[in-house]
Amino acid sequence: MAPNKKVVVAFSESRGFSKRLADKSGAQYSCLEVEKFPDKETKLRFREGVAGRKVFLVRSLDNPDQKLIEVLLAAHTARDLGADKVVLVAPYLCYMRQDKRFRQGEAVSSRIIAKLFNGCLDGLVTVDPHLHRYKRLNDIFKMKTKRLTAVRPIAEFMRQRVRNPFVFGPDLESFQWAKAVASIMGCKADVLRKQRYDSESVRIEIKKKHELKNKGVVIVDDVVSTGHTMMEVVKDAKRLGARKIYCVCTHGIFAENALQKLRRLGAVVYATNTIKNPVSRIDVTRMISREIR
Ligand code: R5P
């Protein structure tokens, strides 16, 4: 029997996610062999033949630095071994927030990472990438790209859980998601104004007078990192009398105990499974598997 033309290749922590993608898309599943040499350099090996096949490397790039080295080694190796196409499925794409030199002398990391990927990938699939100063992925990436959004899985998940909802987007960029989620949930949404002074300090104001009593407030953003953005909105929504507050994001990075901090403020937190964490209950594998298919 001819081998399956498509193979989904997992890294150590992406096995469960990749297996689900392979099952749903009808591709073969395989897992890389990754070890360390005694000097801590990485040794990597494909277990399946990839010559003439379409290879989907699946890995979310949260905590990215070590993961990036392995992805680059794997992508170049797949090409060396004669893969027909090499596609990276990175549900969370790293370094996208470093899209300008914020302070003199700083690296514009997103461009540097894009150059590395441009040298070894034929395709890139990702979910809700942080596009702020870049309008589209191909402003920096040269390969074919596909930008998926978790709006529908998020909205359908929340619709079943929230009574009398009202949606907030914490800043201008987040409004695209907040508005779309609210429209599927059949409720209103508003965008707030955010001032970020540094990664730890954020100021957000709810300017309009909102009647939030009896409302289930749903705050929607692409990323929760330190959680400061969400925390500011949670505090304001509480002040305005919200009955219950939900923080929902596509990518739950939850750095610096952000999840615990949000829960301590009384918020219920959900994220998609682009990054595995205790609240990653919203599944995006069906949506991604359609791309592989
Ligand atoms: C920024 O524009 C993003 O959309 C998020 O609002 C931001 O990355 C969240 O970061 P943090 O959780 O550290 O406030």
Side-chain angles (χ1 to χ4, degrees):
M1 203 171 68
N4 192 322
K5 274 290 279 179
K6 295 175 184 174
V7 56
V8 164
V9 178
F11 294 79
S12 57
E13 82 297 335
S14 65
R15 290 180 196 186
F17 191 93
S18 306
K19 183 84 182 59
R20 282 207 294 285
L21 280 186
D23 288 347
K24 287 180 181 150
S25 62
Q28 188 192 352
Y29 166 80
S30 178
C31 182
L32 283 168
E33 206 175 280
V34 182
E35 290 168 27
K36 288 283 174 209
F37 288 109
D39 59 2
K40 301 286 183 263
E41 289 179 353
T42 299
K43 178 176 167 189
L44 176 149
R45 180 178 162 267
F46 280 83
R47 294 170 204 253
E48 301 291 331
V50 294
R53 304 175 78 185
K54 195 160 182 179
V55 176
F56 294 90
L57 301 171
V58 178
R59 167 166 260 187
S60 246
L61 294 170
D62 51 306
N63 286 315
D65 295 1
Q66 174 61 28
K67 290 182 182 173
L68 276 168
I69 293 289
E70 293 176 14
V71 166
L72 292 168
L73 291 175
H76 279 282
T77 306
R79 278 194 169 174
D80 279 354
L81 295 171
D84 178 28
K85 292 268 185 293
V86 182
V87 177
L88 174 63
V89 179
Y92 175 67
L93 191 56
C94 59
Y95 282 109
M96 292 299 285
R97 291 183 293 168
Q98 308 312 313
D99 58 358
K100 76 167 197 179
R101 212 180 302 291
F102 292 93
R103 287 175 55 221
Q104 203 186 355
E106 255 180 24
V108 185
S109 309
S110 52
R111 286 193 182 276
I112 300 168
I113 300 300
K115 274 187 200 157
L116 294 171
F117 285 164
N118 287 340
C120 58
L121 295 177
D122 303 293
L124 172 67
V125 178
T126 189
V127 183
D128 290 330
H130 189 83
L131 294 173
H132 182 177
R133 274 157 280 259
Y134 308 128
K135 294 302 162 227
R136 56 193 76 77
L137 287 167
N138 288 104
D139 287 353
I140 53 171
F141 294 100
K142 291 200 175 128
M143 72 293 285
K144 203 169 163 190
T145 59
K146 183 71 190 184
R147 166 191 177 188
L148 301 171
T149 177
V151 157
R152 185 158 288 279
I154 287 177
E156 280 168 3
F157 184 90
M158 296 310 292
R159 188 162 55 185
Q160 291 166 18
R161 284 167 178 79
V162 187
R163 208 162 30 84
N164 202 9
F166 186 94
V167 175
F168 279 119
D171 54 23
L172 283 176
E173 295 91 62
S174 66
F175 197 51
Q176 50 183 309
W177 298 290
K179 207 168 107 198
V181 166
S183 131
I184 298 171
M185 291 180 79
C187 68
K188 288 196 177 148
D190 192 16
V191 63
L192 307 176
R193 257 160 233 286
K194 175 163 95 177
Q195 282 281 21
R196 182 181 280 285
Y197 303 102
D198 57 43
S199 60
E200 297 290 306
S201 102
V202 172
R203 202 166 143 236
I204 295 181
E205 270 178 78
I206 301 189
K207 280 247 164 78
K208 280 189 227 151
K209 272 278 155 247
H210 284 290
E211 185 44 74
L212 296 183
K213 293 216 167 65
N214 292 320
K215 292 280 181 200
V217 166
V218 181
I219 312 164
V220 181
D221 208 349
D222 57 342
V223 181
V224 176
S225 179
T226 65
H228 285 284
T229 302
M230 285 283 187
M231 282 190 267
E232 287 303 301
V233 188
V234 171
K235 286 182 208 157
D236 269 5
K238 268 167 109 173
R239 207 168 31 75
L240 293 171
R243 176 179 46 80
K244 194 147 185 185
I245 302 171
Y246 302 83
C247 297
V248 192
C249 63
T250 305
H251 310 294
I253 296 176
F254 302 127
E256 302 172 357
N257 292 323
L259 179 57
Q260 289 77 353
K261 289 178 192 165
L262 285 167
R263 282 175 160 172
R264 240 178 271 136
L265 286 176
V268 177
V269 187
Y270 294 118
T272 78
N273 57 352
T274 59
I275 297 174
K276 198 171 173 197
N277 59 55
V279 294
S280 52
R281 293 184 47 195
I282 307 172
D283 185 33
V284 292
T285 55
R286 177 170 310 165
M287 178 177 87
I288 299 177
S289 70
R290 281 188 218 117
E291 287 310 308
I292 296 178
R293 220 164 32 223

